[in-house]
Amino acid sequence: MHNPAVINPLDLPFAILLHLILAVGALLLGPFALRARKGSALHRRSGYVWIGLMLGAALSSIFIRDHHLPNIAGYTPIHLLTVLTLVGVSSGLWHIRQRRITEHRKTMWMIYLSGCIGAGAFTLLPGRYLGHLLWHHTLGWL
């Protein structure tokens, strides 16, 4: 059954579609990168890919604006996570280059929890694309 209120993901603006793909990739890969044996090739490789996904998601969010929520030039409070992610990734990389393992680990977990879990929770609010899919269609189907 086709519901015209459902937006086809391919009809989304490019910045939103790209952001969605990168963010979901980071959400799914994050636990593997964070839980892999520290110093292993798997940890390093998955960590670099995860960092790329996080940076891509953060940078693509700069091109997503919402003039319906409280905003400044279309930037809403959730855009603060963009800055936090960019600063956090830079800090995490600096820590590991300085061999500050504990600080690196804490920073990367903070980025995952705030940038993936925290921001992801905002996307599930009613009226947002993913929230609409979840609350009106997926759960409505159950």
Side-chain angles (χ1 to χ4, degrees), residues 56-72:
L59 292 173
S60 65
S61 74
I62 293 170
F63 300 98
I64 301 170
R65 298 193 182 171
D66 188 341
H67 295 282
H68 297 93
L69 298 174
N71 70 86
I72 298 173

Side-chain angles (χ1 to χ4, degrees), residues 79-91:
H79 283 92
L80 294 174
L81 290 173
T82 300
V83 176
L84 178 66
T85 299
L86 295 173
V87 170
V89 166
S90 299
S91 175

Side-chain angles (χ1 to χ4, degrees), residues 48-61:
Y48 282 124
V49 172
W50 181 72
I51 284 171
L53 292 167
M54 289 298 294
L55 289 174
L59 292 173
S60 65
S61 74

Side-chain angles (χ1 to χ4, degrees), residues 79-130:
H79 283 92
L80 294 174
L81 290 173
T82 300
V83 176
L84 178 66
T85 299
L86 295 173
V87 170
V89 166
S90 299
S91 175
L93 290 173
W94 183 82
H95 285 310
I96 200 62
R97 296 277 187 229
Q98 300 298 312
R99 306 231 186 271
R100 300 173 67 176
I101 307 303
T102 301
E103 291 85 354
H104 169 73
R105 182 181 306 121
K106 287 178 184 177
T107 301
M108 293 310 191
W109 270 103
M110 180 198 66
I111 296 166
Y112 181 75
L113 293 173
S114 62
C116 290
I117 304 299
F122 281 110
T123 68
L124 299 178
L125 292 174
R128 309 226 4 136
Y129 176 71
L130 292 180

